[in-house]
Each structure stands twice: as structure tokens, then as C-alpha cells.
Amino acid sequence: MSSEAYRTVTETNARIDEVRDGMRILWDVTITMDDGLPLAADVFLPEQPGQYPVLISYGPYAKGLPFQEGYPTAWEALSSSHPDVAEGSSCAYQNWEVVDPEKWVPHGYAVARVDSRGCGRSPGYIEHFSARETADYVACIEWAADQPWSTGKVGTSGVSYFGMNQWQVASERPRGLAAVCIWEGASDFYRDASHHGGILSTFWEHWYDKQIKVVQYGLGDRGPVNPITGLNVCGDETLSDDQLAANRSDFGAIIRSHPLLDDWYRERSGVLENIEVPLLSAGNWGGSGLHLRGNVEGFLRAGSAQKWLEMHGLEHWTTYYTDYGRQIQLAFFDHFLKGVDNGWDQRPPVSLLVRSPGEVYEERAASAWPLPETAWQRLELDPVRLDLVEKGGAEAGSVEFSGEQDVTFRLPVSDADREVSGPVSAKLFVSTDSDDADIFLTVRLFDSEGKEVTFAGAVDPNAPISMGWLRLSHRELDEAASTEWRPIHPHSRTLPVEAGTVYEVDVEVWPTCIVVPAGHTLAVTIGGRDYENPELKDAVTMSNFKNAMKGCGPFLHDDPIDRPAQRYATRVRVHCGGEHRSSILLPFQER
């Protein structure tokens, strides 16, 4: 059917309405919010008139900016290493962190992409993850459910930002929302994203400069052009720098001004217990710093009666687009948006890609998280041999670290493969020469020659196994919410720290999964700074991040206001053995 004939069936307010590449595309559809603001959306439909379930996304990265143009280094890595991503697609409609319509429309789905307020072709004031943004997303979902080309069933899908805001919007229970697929998205904006263990991450300030200001509405003729439509990616208005600045919040400065977990963060985290719709939460083993903890916590805490957790590896822009990830998403949405009896409801609640060195993965299903068969083992830190030893085996004494010096404890080498999969936590007894201290804990792997083995992280190509952080003044525990394997800190106030006093602290280390081959050894490094791979000679740089990738990716804790050297570069002692049994709890699995 021609574009003109289809238009008589379904009237739209699209800027451009055309049929191409096997799809009917409505470019720049207007969705009006309750305050009168017009948001811009692109909608991709099957050529055949009808009603289809809708996959929708709402976010700031500009719907008209091709993946290849906006994120060239990520696209090159993705397309060259995973040819299945491009197979069957022209890739002309690929966008950063959302579905490729050419892979979904042929399966009978409508795909809607909405530029969030103030970004791309949507005017307005930028205020990320705010209640205003969440209300906009609710309105967009309900709009999609009401369209004549919609069955009334809407699913949300996307990676990172497009995953994070799903926790928020799902907890509002919008009409028409029937399923959510949250792929690598933080669910707790304070603990997962802005402050790790109470320590400020500078990621968001740099992200704002590199990924948001460059696609702000009002760049107009100064911004990129959609190569398909010829429309300005960032709106038809061309505003001055002063006008642009007036239309956005200073995200980094606002985060810095909220050092404790308050209502500002709660507004940006959603109420997980309010979520009712079927949920697929997919996390990344290499996502320490943003793309891991939230997916596990979201799965555990969501109120949904039907919920699933999937855990994988590789870069955070990879698995979502590969056949592996897309087929999982397709089965999930086919079942809940189309009613297909494909056995999804019989799928085990937890599925893992168990990780081995060399980016080797083995699929495993489980009935719960943590895995029910976990053999928990608490190993003490021996300050003399610098080993991880069984209970009661550590010598009494202490070791020191500082902003420049770390200390590493190793598990004895085994002649058989061992697996560590699950949450990790540490109980430390520490004292400091200052009035506060920051603890950085890194779980690492070394081969038989003592060389560190790293992995493809969600962002950094040379990441360690896992990380944990804690500011000593944030040591207070939420006793009701905490478990031995997952300490939770309220971060609602700071506790005093006196120089020389020994404090017992519990450090949450983000979940992990690693097969430790025979002859290799697991190690725990404790220090006062971000991990850097000591053997890395040429750090990778990427088009969308400011810093070079040295092990932590862009998730650094180097803000001079939050971490003044005179406070956080001083000596800290870890007390071990005797009455101060510093230890780490590891989740071993049978092999």
C-alpha cells in the first residue's frame, strides 16, 4: 500500500509521513504534554495497516542522530566484532541505546522514539530523571496506547539512560504499560550512579558535557542534520550559548550540592516496590560504577509477580543488539505484548552467562539470586603474608594504604578451577590519621605468572572483576535492609571520625561472576584511590568520554571539592587478626 493510501487510514500530525525500507515512518510526530509543551517523536510501523504493540523509549540522545555519527568508536567496535548486529538491517535507523526498528518492525511491532524535554527536537528545560521527565514519559506511554495503529499494549525498552528511567516510569503504573525490559540501567541514582559508597563520581558532570550539551534543543543550524530527513537533529531554532545555558540545569553542580541521599535522589530513583508489570532486568558483569548493581537490586525489590534477571558481559552497547540479546527481548515481548505461548512463563527467574578469562561465557539457569547453591566463605586478611586465609588463620597486625599506596591480599593458588558468582562484601576494621577516609576495594584476577587478567567492562576494555567503595563517615548501616552478603548504607547523615580510632565498617562490593582457572589466583586490593591497571601501556580513548580508559572507565572519583587531598590522601590502617578480624565474604560455586 502506498504512503498516501495508508495516510487515509491513519491520520497523523507527523512532519514527514513516508514508506521506505519496508516500514511506514512518521517523522517528528508531536506529543503534547499537560503543560502544553510539544515533544517530538519518530514512529516506525509495518507497511500493512493494522494495530501493533508498541516499543517506546524516551531519552536525551536525539532521535535523529545516527549511532554511527554520534558514537563512532562504539559503533565501530560493535559492528566489526559482532556482524550479526548489522545482518538484515541497513543500519540507517540505528540510534544509541535503543532498538533498531529494522529488526523489530518486521516482527509486527511499532517502534516509537521520543526526544526528552530540552533535547533533540523537543523544546524545554533539561532536568534529567526529574519528576517532570517521568510525567512526560507516562504521558508518552499513554499516548502510544491510544493511537489507532496501537493494540493498546506498550513495552518500554532501552539501555542505560533508557533503562534507568524505566524504573521510574514503571513505578507510576501508566495506562497501557504491559512489560518493561531494562537493559543495564541503574535503579538507585545515589548508590548506583552519583555516589559510590558516599563518594562523588565525576561521571555525570563529564557525561553532561560530552553527550547532552551536544544534542540540546536549540543548537539548530549549529548542530547535526538527520541524513535521512534533512531535518536539524536539535530543532529548527538556533539559540545563543546563553539561551542554551538558561534552558538546562547544571547537572554536575547540583549533584555535588547534594552529598547525602535526600529527596532529590529519591525523586530520580522510582519506587521499585510499586512496579507491577512483567519485568526483564539485564545487568552487565563488567558494569561496576553504573551498569550492574541497579539491575540486581531492581530485580530483587520490584513488586512484579513476574520478573526475570539476566546477567551478561562485554560492552554495555553490545549484548542488547546482538542476536543473543535481541532474541531474549523478542521472546519476552512476544509473550507479554502479543500473548504468544512461547514458554517464556516457564523460564527460570535467573539466567547467567558465567564468565571465564578470554571473554568466554557459559549459560546457566537458576531459581533465585543469590544462587541457592552458593557456598559462602568468609576469608580473613592476613597482614603478614598478605593472604586471604580461613577463619582464625590471620596473624594479628595491620597494613597501611593511602591515596598513593594500595595493599593486596591474595587467595592461595588452587590446582582446580574455582568459580565465584554472586554478591561480595567486606568487613574491615580501619583507622585513619585524618577526620575521614575513602576506601576503594577491587577484586582482581592474576594468572600463574603473576600477570593481572582483565575483562571487557561495560565501558572500559581492561576492567577488573569487581569494585566496592565506602567513605568512612558513611559507615552507618541500614540494619533492617542489610544482609551479610549485601550491606546497605542509608547515606542520610555523616558520622564523626576521630584520628586513630578503629572503626568496624562493612563495604558493599558489586556482584560478580568469574571462573578462576587452575593456577590462577583471586586477589583483593584495598586503597585510597580509583583502580588503575598497572600493566596498561596504551589507554583507550572514546569519542563520548573525556578521560582515557585505565580500568574504571569514566566512573572516577577525582572531584577536588569532594575529595580534598589534605583529608583523603593521608594514611589509613586496616587492622587484622585478633580482635579485629578484617575479612571478605566470597560466593563460591560448585564446578
Side-chain angles (χ1 to χ4, degrees):
M1 180 177 288
S2 69
S3 168
E4 188 63 35
Y6 201 164
R7 193 177 296 111
T8 64
V9 177
T10 304
E11 291 296 329
T12 74
N13 62 1
R15 178 78 169 267
I16 301 171
D17 183 340
E18 63 178 349
V19 173
R20 57 184 296 157
D21 294 324
M23 301 179 290
R24 182 196 180 196
I25 308 176
L26 312 178
W27 300 103
D28 238 30
V29 177
T30 297
I31 309 174
T32 304
M33 297 297 100
D34 58 356
D35 61 354
L37 188 86
L39 297 185
D42 293 336
V43 179
F44 302 82
L45 301 167
E47 282 190 75
Q48 182 65 33
Q51 293 180 315
Y52 302 96
V54 185
L55 296 182
I56 193 169
S57 57
Y58 169 101
Y61 297 133
K63 62 184 177 60
L65 182 66
F67 192 146
Q68 303 91 320
E69 182 178 337
Y71 300 84
T73 51
W75 174 255
E76 174 58 30
L78 174 64
S79 58
S80 61
S81 300
H82 303 276
D84 54 319
V85 171
E87 186 176 354
S89 174
S90 71
C91 300
Y93 309 94
Q94 290 273 17
N95 269 188
W96 178 243
E97 297 182 338
V98 293
V99 300
D100 177 1
E102 288 185 275
K103 292 290 186 83
W104 286 87
V105 170
H107 287 283
Y109 286 90
V111 173
R113 298 172 174 166
V114 186
D115 278 340
S116 59
R117 183 176 292 242
C119 296
R121 292 186 61 81
S122 293
Y125 186 79
I126 302 175
E127 195 174 8
H128 295 295
F129 303 110
S130 63
R132 178 67 262 179
E133 274 203 352
T134 302
D136 288 349
Y137 203 175
V138 168
C140 291
I141 290 169
E142 296 185 345
W143 169 87
D146 291 340
Q147 296 310 297
W149 37 260
S150 168
T151 62
K153 288 193 173 184
V154 181
T156 54
S157 181
V159 185
S160 190
Y161 197 107
F162 300 99
M164 294 169 69
N165 61 11
Q166 287 184 64
W167 298 112
Q168 296 173 268
V169 76
S171 70
E172 295 295 320
R173 305 172 184 171
R175 175 176 46 79
L177 183 62
V180 294
C181 175
I182 303 175
W183 207 272
E184 302 187 33
S187 60
D188 181 328
F189 196 80
Y190 188 91
R191 297 181 180 91
D192 300 347
S194 70
H195 290 75
H196 301 125
I199 309 168
L200 175 67
S201 170
T202 52
F203 166 75
W204 292 100
E205 183 170 14
H206 299 326
W207 166 83
Y208 205 48
D209 290 341
K210 294 289 285 186
Q211 294 184 238
I212 300 302
K213 293 179 182 179
V214 295
V215 291
Q216 184 178 355
Y217 175 88
L219 282 173
D221 293 337
R222 295 193 287 157
V225 173
N226 184 324
I228 298 176
T229 65
L231 298 175
N232 288 338
V233 167
C234 301
D236 297 326
E237 289 187 273
T238 302
L239 304 179
S240 69
D241 288 344
D242 287 344
Q243 289 173 309
L244 291 171
N247 285 341
R248 62 179 183 250
S249 61
D250 189 341
F251 201 46
I254 293 173
I255 291 172
R256 188 185 294 107
S257 71
H258 290 267
L260 298 175
L261 201 168
D262 57 16
D263 287 342
W264 191 88
Y265 294 103
R266 282 186 278 272
E267 178 183 321
R268 287 158 176 78
S269 300
V271 183
L272 301 177
E273 292 76 10
N274 286 353
I275 299 175
E276 295 180 336
V277 295
L279 162 71
L280 171 58
S281 178
N284 190 317
W285 295 127
S288 289
L290 187 59
H291 295 302
L292 170 57
R293 181 188 187 275
N295 283 101
V296 175
E297 286 296 304
F299 165 75
L300 291 172
R301 292 177 50 203
S304 303
Q306 297 173 292
K307 57 184 179 180
W308 289 265
L309 175 68
E310 187 276 341
M311 299 293 292
H312 55 265
L314 301 179
E315 307 84 3
H316 88 267
W317 55 82
T318 295
T319 310
Y320 179 77
Y321 292 98
T322 62
D323 285 349
Y324 165 82
R326 187 172 55 83
Q327 287 165 4
I328 291 174
Q329 298 161 48
L330 187 63
F332 173 73
F333 282 126
D334 276 355
H335 186 76
F336 290 110
L337 299 188
K338 292 184 175 182
V340 177
D341 185 10
N342 57 11
W344 180 274
D345 54 335
Q346 302 303 312
R347 182 184 176 96
V350 176
S351 59
L352 314 177
L353 288 183
V354 177
R355 181 172 59 167
S356 294
E359 307 306 334
V360 176
Y361 296 91
E362 171 191 356
E363 291 191 49
R364 177 192 295 162
S367 61
W369 180 272
L371 305 182
E373 64 271 20
T374 300
W376 298 100
Q377 189 171 3
R378 183 168 291 281
L379 298 169
E380 295 183 1
L381 280 54
D382 187 294
V384 177
R385 293 167 290 177
L386 297 183
D387 285 339
L388 298 173
V389 300
E390 293 184 2
K391 183 177 180 180
E395 298 283 347
S398 66
V399 292
E400 293 183 353
F401 69 82
S402 68
E404 299 298 326
Q405 178 184 0
D406 304 326
V407 58
T408 298
F409 299 86
R410 300 189 183 221
L411 194 66
V413 175
S414 173
D415 58 3
D417 292 355
R418 290 179 291 186
E419 180 186 336
V420 174
S421 293
V424 178
S425 67
K427 181 176 288 293
L428 304 178
F429 294 85
V430 299
S431 63
T432 177
D433 291 342
S434 181
D435 61 353
D436 209 346
D438 284 347
I439 301 167
F440 293 74
L441 193 151
T442 308
V443 183
R444 305 164 70 185
L445 180 67
F446 292 88
D447 66 17
S448 58
E449 297 180 354
K451 181 179 180 180
E452 184 167 8
V453 180
T454 57
F455 300 84
V459 177
D460 200 299
N462 296 284
I465 297 171
S466 188
M467 300 179 190
W469 309 261
L470 183 65
R471 177 157 287 173
L472 187 53
S473 57
H474 285 240
R475 64 188 179 274
E476 182 178 21
L477 274 181
D478 182 336
E479 299 287 355
S482 295
T483 66
E484 185 180 15
W485 48 267
R486 187 192 60 196
I488 301 292
H489 302 87
H491 301 291
S492 58
R493 61 174 180 167
T494 58
L495 300 181
V497 175
E498 296 183 2
T501 299
V502 178
Y503 296 98
E504 178 181 346
V505 300
D506 293 274
V507 182
E508 179 187 10
V509 182
W510 284 21
T512 194
C513 174
I514 182 63
V515 174
V516 182
H520 288 51
T521 186
L522 204 67
V524 175
T525 295
I526 304 173
R529 59 181 176 177
D530 284 311
Y531 163 86
E532 288 189 10
N533 185 343
E535 299 174 5
L536 189 64
K537 293 182 173 59
D538 297 312
V540 172
T541 58
M542 301 185 66
S543 58
N544 51 313
F545 298 114
K546 285 186 177 181
N547 63 289
M549 305 292 112
K550 297 182 179 180
C552 288
F555 310 112
L556 301 178
H557 307 83
D558 54 1
D559 185 87
I561 298 174
D562 183 69
R563 301 192 71 230
Q566 64 269 26
R567 170 176 287 180
Y568 294 106
T570 56
R571 293 184 302 171
V572 181
R573 295 172 186 82
V574 181
H575 301 266
C576 309
E579 61 179 329
H580 299 126
R581 298 188 182 278
S582 291
S583 61
I584 185 165
L585 182 68
L586 295 175
F588 286 95
Q589 308 296 332
E590 288 290 335
R591 291 296 296 170

